[in-house]
Amino acid sequence: MGKKSERSSFTSKLGFVLAAAGSAVGLGNLWRFPYLAAQYGGGIFLFVYVILAFTFGFTLMVTEVAIGRKTGKSAISAFRSLDKRFGFVGILATIVPVIITPYYCVIGGWVTKYLAVYLSGAGHAASLDGYFGAFISQPWQPLVWFFVFVIATSVIVVLGVEKGVEKASKIMMPVLLVLSLVIAVYSCTRPGALGGILYYIRPDFSRLSVKTVLAALGQLFYSMSLAMGIMITYGSYMPKETNLESSVRQIEFFDTLIAFLAGLMIIPAVFVFSGGDESAMGAGAGLMFITLPKVFLSMPGGQFIGGLFFFLVLFAALTSSISLMETIVSILMDKLGWNRLFATVSTMVFVLIAGIPSSLGFGIWSHITPLGMDLLDFFDFVSNTVMMPIVSFLICFLAAYILKPDTIIKEAQANGASFKSEKFYRIMIRYVAPIGIIAIWVSSMAAGLGLFSW
Ligand code: TRP
């Protein structure tokens, strides 16, 4: 990836859609979305998220993919080649995966541990109250699983066998979809689940706040792998014959569907197992690991289904962590001329060290709480809530006022392809997206810093 001389193309539209969806569908959908939705009022978060996905998400993804296809370059070089003054956006966009990859791998380690627990037949233990908390607060165990996950990711990146992983994901992604459906139906049909379903799908407008909107926006960027140049890189591999608009719609739809189902698996179950206690919704980052083992325990064949589920989550997490790490590696190779092995080993060492605080933040370093957050939450906040909106705003600004919307629209219409949302796109990219992003960002930062409260 990123090597101009070796720039290959996807051979089909399906190839592009699946590869981009493989990068998009990951822990963001399965782990992050449900706990945010639970925390930020359920239905209202879902409502805001879906609206933003099909407006802001669509606009930004079209823009990034079009920039990539037009320039044929990966993020850092793409911005500079479009306009010298925007070269720094490429650098900002590169910082985002540098922050995300370490903590992403910490969560990947938790998933690996849970898979091992299910494979060893100990799913029952994982469903006990306090199991998850006891696990993440130890110093060594989570670190060991984190190392395992990072090393697995690095080995795949060094061997350059992503193509094999991509092929496998053509089978795994549909299986994940079907299994998610099965588990969601099971969760939703438990006695007492109705309250949880309503909490999840019925928007309560009294809980609408700027913070909710910003959280949904950050989740959107994260889940769709926007604002860090990845979609620009994917776009640069996209053949001109492929219809850009409909590909973006498909990726968006698939990504949102998996996130929606993940919420449907987890949130009603939280309700069932907490006896309808809404305060259980605020469990945060551990929600998936705390609630799903209880669902599996009560399910016929739950030990097997739990194992299969964590296997598929691990797979989805790996496909995402591979492309996150590959982003950093390909930049090191391009910019510093390092070979793949050296670039990957350096990145691996960096990730191994940089992830340690996020892992220890739940145990022996839990007293370190910048802005009142544990360390993992803090890094997540800095990348998704602070950095990504800034990068996205700059991309919108570049597209709307420097390149002009016509440039992007022309790219979407290459080879006579249709672009049905042309009018909508023009309005979104010029006014709604940049103004909306900045307004949400500024008001929420101000609220967060306590300048005034909402
Ligand atoms: N979208 C991925 C997920 O939902 C996470 C992610 C964010 C990502 N940015 C990325 C993955 C860039 C690959 C590349 O889990």
Side-chain angles (χ1 to χ4, degrees):
M1 207 186 277
K3 273 246 166 183
K4 276 140 270 162
S5 49
E6 296 165 9
R7 188 159 300 276
S8 56
S9 266
F10 294 109
T11 44
S12 62
K13 176 171 176 200
L14 190 67
F16 171 76
V17 170
L18 283 176
S23 152
V25 174
L27 293 173
N29 310 60
L30 297 156
W31 156 77
R32 200 171 186 273
F33 181 84
Y35 93 72
L36 286 183
Q39 217 165 33
Y40 284 96
I44 190 66
F45 184 86
L46 180 66
F47 179 80
V48 172
Y49 181 84
V50 170
I51 292 183
L52 291 179
F54 289 90
T55 52
F56 285 58
F58 172 76
T59 306
L60 279 158
M61 200 184 283
V62 165
T63 308
E64 290 197 23
V65 174
I67 288 181
R69 191 166 74 175
K70 184 178 162 53
T71 58
K73 297 199 167 114
S74 50
I76 286 206
S77 331
F79 288 112
R80 202 167 347 99
S81 77
L82 289 169
D83 188 307
K84 280 238 153 26
R85 291 164 299 171
F86 276 74
F88 76 99
V89 181
I91 296 168
L92 281 184
T94 308
I95 297 174
V96 178
V98 171
I99 303 175
I100 291 185
T101 314
Y103 86 77
Y104 200 88
C105 291
V106 170
I107 318 287
W110 299 352
V111 175
T112 317
K113 147 89 179 179
Y114 270 64
L115 173 61
V117 167
Y118 276 86
L119 290 183
S120 69
H124 173 74
S127 68
L128 298 176
D129 283 335
Y131 180 88
F132 178 73
F135 163 60
I136 57 165
S137 59
Q138 295 166 25
W140 287 109
Q141 255 221 53
L143 278 181
V144 171
W145 290 108
F146 159 65
F147 278 37
V148 169
F149 186 85
V150 174
I151 290 166
T153 304
S154 314
V155 168
I156 300 174
V157 173
V158 167
L159 295 179
V161 290
E162 300 96 79
K163 290 280 170 307
V165 176
E166 250 161 45
K167 283 218 179 81
S169 69
K170 285 186 190 166
I171 306 164
M172 303 285 213
M173 287 293 151
V175 179
L176 178 66
L177 182 64
V178 173
L179 189 71
S180 302
L181 262 173
V182 170
I183 300 172
V185 168
Y186 181 82
S187 278
C188 290
T189 49
R190 290 312 84 204
L194 186 65
I197 300 174
L198 291 177
Y199 178 80
Y200 181 45
I201 59 177
R202 199 169 50 187
D204 171 1
F205 286 92
S206 70
R207 297 191 63 166
L208 182 63
S209 71
V210 183
K211 271 199 170 149
T212 309
V213 180
L214 187 72
L217 195 65
Q219 169 61 17
L220 171 76
F221 297 148
Y222 185 86
S223 184
M224 295 193 179
S225 310
L226 294 170
M228 56 203 274
I230 272 280
M231 285 299 159
I232 296 184
T233 308
Y234 276 110
S236 72
Y237 298 122
M238 186 190 212
K240 289 274 183 202
E241 309 69 72
T242 304
N243 185 312
L244 202 149
E245 180 183 33
S246 68
S247 311
V248 167
R249 287 267 181 235
Q250 284 168 11
I251 299 164
E252 239 184 356
F253 176 76
F254 191 64
D255 189 72
T256 308
L257 179 67
I258 297 267
F260 174 71
L261 286 176
L264 218 43
M265 287 191 263
I266 294 175
I267 294 176
V270 177
F271 233 69
V272 172
F273 292 106
S274 66
D277 174 10
E278 271 202 19
S279 66
M281 291 294 174
L287 199 65
M288 174 173 108
F289 299 93
I290 295 169
T291 308
L292 282 180
K294 294 185 201 286
V295 175
F296 296 138
L297 184 71
S298 78
M299 234 173 158
Q303 181 80 27
F304 172 76
I305 295 185
L308 181 61
F309 176 79
F310 281 109
F311 174 74
L312 293 165
V313 176
L314 179 62
F315 191 83
L318 269 175
T319 58
S320 296
S321 68
I322 291 164
S323 57
L324 279 162
M325 190 181 267
E326 178 72 35
T327 314
I328 305 175
V329 167
S330 66
I331 289 169
L332 292 175
M333 288 167 62
D334 277 3
K335 295 289 146 189
L336 304 179
W338 294 358
N339 67 31
R340 174 166 286 271
L341 181 65
F342 188 65
T344 312
V345 172
S346 313
T347 310
M348 179 181 88
V349 171
F350 163 76
V351 172
L352 285 176
I353 295 170
I356 291 174
S358 296
S359 184
L360 294 183
F362 295 100
I364 57 175
W365 285 4
S366 58
H367 55 285
I368 308 175
T369 52
L371 301 179
M373 298 174 215
D374 60 64
L375 287 164
L376 190 149
D377 260 2
F378 175 71
F379 290 120
D380 182 271
F381 173 82
V382 171
S383 58
N384 302 321
T385 313
V386 181
M387 299 269 309
M388 285 180 158
I390 298 177
V391 175
S392 298
F393 168 78
L394 290 167
I395 294 178
C396 286
F397 189 83
L398 172 69
Y401 298 103
I402 311 284
L403 302 176
K404 309 286 185 220
D406 279 331
T407 315
I408 305 290
I409 290 167
K410 266 211 201 91
E411 186 56 45
Q413 291 170 334
N415 271 339
S418 69
F419 185 44
K420 294 192 207 80
S421 319
E422 187 184 330
K423 276 212 183 90
F424 174 75
Y425 179 82
R426 261 181 222 286
I427 298 172
M428 282 301 299
I429 195 76
R430 278 222 185 99
Y431 310 109
V432 184
I435 296 172
I437 292 171
I438 278 298
I440 298 166
W441 190 87
V442 169
S443 47
S444 160
M445 289 298 134
L449 296 175
L451 299 185
F452 57 93
S453 61
W454 291 89

